[in-house]
Amino acid sequence: MDIIVLRPDATDDNISVIVKKLDSWGLKANISKGTERTIIGVIGDTSQVSEEEEDALKAMEWVENVLRILKPYKLASREFKKTNTEIKVGNHVIGGNRIHVMAGPCAVESRQGLLEIARKVKECGATFLRAGAFKPRTSPYSFQGLGEEGLKYLAEARQETGLFIVTEIMDARDIDVIVKYTDIIQIGARNMQNFRLLLEVGSAKKPVLLKRGLSSTIKEWLMSAEYIMSRGNHEVMFCERGIRTFETATRNTLDLSSVPLLKKLSHLPVVVDPSHGVGKWDLVTPMAMAAVAAGADALLIEVHTNPEEALSDGEQSLRPDYFKKLMDSIKPIAKAIGREI
Ligand code: PEP
Ligand code: MN
């Protein structure tokens, strides 16, 4: 077996009985205490455990289920959980019938600029404000973000507009300050396999938006979600943002096949970021429409009131009037597949 699911009323003594048993079989336990129940991930060669031994575990009154999952990702797999995971943020649900739009500038650049963009995206129907205060820039000489000052502006925009906040963490040392201000923690593409950072957000009590690595396979991506979940945080959503291919006409190649594929392999919500996926503002709306048609649970769209002056990603940012057009274009598609925006 690979996963032991305990009943909600299992005690620490109950858990240690199982840990000792696993130890006697040469196996280790990874205990993850969620808000509802405790799950024990079994580490080691579980094929050695006989059916009788497994039955003995199942017979314990505080054990709800013992599962053998053949995939290397366990908690993230559809086999582990058949129903779609719904992540609640305030009064919103990500992974339910409603498709959410997370929008905002690539980076928080100034208080006034952020508030202006926040008001616009709210007016157009976005439910989350997405902007970075800690930016992963290719060059150390480029604008790196405003840090905590930027987070404070995000908090102010949240207060004024009621939009919930999504912002990126780049370093495990920033976890406390990020958690203080954000509603959803973003793990950027460059950190998808920063395993220490994944474990850190796995211990946080905030949903995590996990972007796909620049050249990551679906399996590697699922394993990164598993890292987060293995620490007890099961509120993980994937975010497809394009991958590197031989093509250079677009910034990345937006792999929309990952949406239905992830839905098949996993129960976690899937977000699509066409802005980084294509890198050109005029291609964002058609790909946003395609993402909705493919089954995305949310979109992440970069919006700027003055893209020419943006300190990062101006060429892929939509002006508010074009963002409004994007919102108008995706609504009929959502309706056609029985969803709402
Ligand atoms: C971003 O969201 O602004 C960003 C840096 O994206 P990614 O990590 O996908 O490159
Ligand atoms: Mn960006």
Side-chain angles (χ1 to χ4, degrees), residues 47 81 98 160 182 311 313 318 322:
S47 63
K81 185 169 177 280
R98 182 172 183 191
E160 188 194 306
T182 201
L311 297 179
D313 289 350
L318 293 179
Y322 279 101

Side-chain angles (χ1 to χ4, degrees), residues 158-177:
R158 181 186 197 274
Q159 175 78 21
E160 188 194 306
T161 61
L163 291 167
F164 290 95
I165 305 299
V166 186
T167 202
E168 178 167 354
I169 186 166
M170 287 202 353
D171 189 317
R173 287 169 292 187
D174 298 326
I175 187 80
D176 293 338
V177 71

Side-chain angles (χ1 to χ4, degrees), residues 106 130 135-136 168 186 188-190 211 214 241 251 273 276 300 302 313:
C106 179
R130 211 283 328 205
K135 294 304 301 177
E168 178 167 354
Q186 173 176 327
R190 289 153 193 80
K211 284 199 158 197
L214 306 176
R241 47 78 73 208
R251 182 175 178 180
D273 167 3
H276 292 85
L300 196 159
E302 287 194 337
D313 289 350

Side-chain angles (χ1 to χ4, degrees), residues 38-231:
T38 298
I39 289 162
I40 302 180
V42 183
I43 302 164
D45 181 7
T46 56
S47 63
Q48 307 297 323
V49 180
S50 70
E51 234 168 88
E52 292 72 37
E53 286 169 326
E54 191 173 317
D55 284 346
L57 272 181
K58 281 184 185 155
M60 292 177 179
E61 60 192 283
W62 55 87
V63 171
E64 186 169 285
N65 207 352
V66 177
L67 299 163
R68 276 194 196 263
I69 298 175
L70 296 175
K71 302 243 170 44
Y73 45 91
K74 316 278 176 195
L75 303 171
S77 75
R78 234 340 141 190
E79 288 160 83
F80 174 65
K81 185 169 177 280
K82 301 268 176 289
T83 57
N84 288 340
T85 285
E86 296 190 344
I87 299 176
K88 291 184 185 65
V89 181
N91 51 342
H92 298 316
V93 176
I94 299 168
N97 193 53
R98 182 172 183 191
I99 298 168
H100 286 274
V101 178
M102 305 167 169
C106 179
V108 181
E109 299 174 353
S110 69
R111 177 180 171 273
Q112 206 45 47
L114 181 75
L115 288 174
E116 222 176 286
I117 298 168
R119 287 177 199 130
K120 293 279 187 200
V121 299
K122 162 88 182 185
E123 213 179 281
C124 297
T127 39
F128 289 80
L129 176 64
R130 211 283 328 205
F134 296 91
K135 294 304 301 177
R137 304 306 303 280
T138 304
S139 165
Y141 309 119
S142 301
F143 174 60
Q144 304 286 310
L146 295 181
E148 187 168 3
E149 186 191 346
L151 296 175
K152 286 184 178 154
Y153 300 154
L154 282 169
E156 194 180 338
R158 181 186 197 274
Q159 175 78 21
E160 188 194 306
T161 61
L163 291 167
F164 290 95
I165 305 299
V166 186
T167 202
E168 178 167 354
I169 186 166
M170 287 202 353
D171 189 317
R173 287 169 292 187
D174 298 326
I175 187 80
D176 293 338
V177 71
I178 294 271
V179 162
K180 187 167 149 200
Y181 294 101
T182 201
D183 297 294
I184 297 180
I185 307 171
Q186 173 176 327
I187 297 280
R190 289 153 193 80
N191 275 314
M192 191 205 84
Q193 287 191 313
N194 181 340
F195 300 117
R196 294 281 295 266
L197 184 61
L198 298 179
L199 291 176
E200 196 67 37
V201 299
S203 302
K205 290 181 178 49
K206 292 273 170 162
V208 178
L209 180 143
L210 177 64
K211 284 199 158 197
R212 183 174 186 175
L214 306 176
S215 305
S216 296
T217 65
I218 300 277
K219 193 166 151 192
E220 286 163 344
W221 197 6
L222 284 155
M223 292 309 292
S224 291
E226 191 74 17
Y227 258 93
I228 300 169
M229 298 175 87
S230 74
R231 276 289 165 99

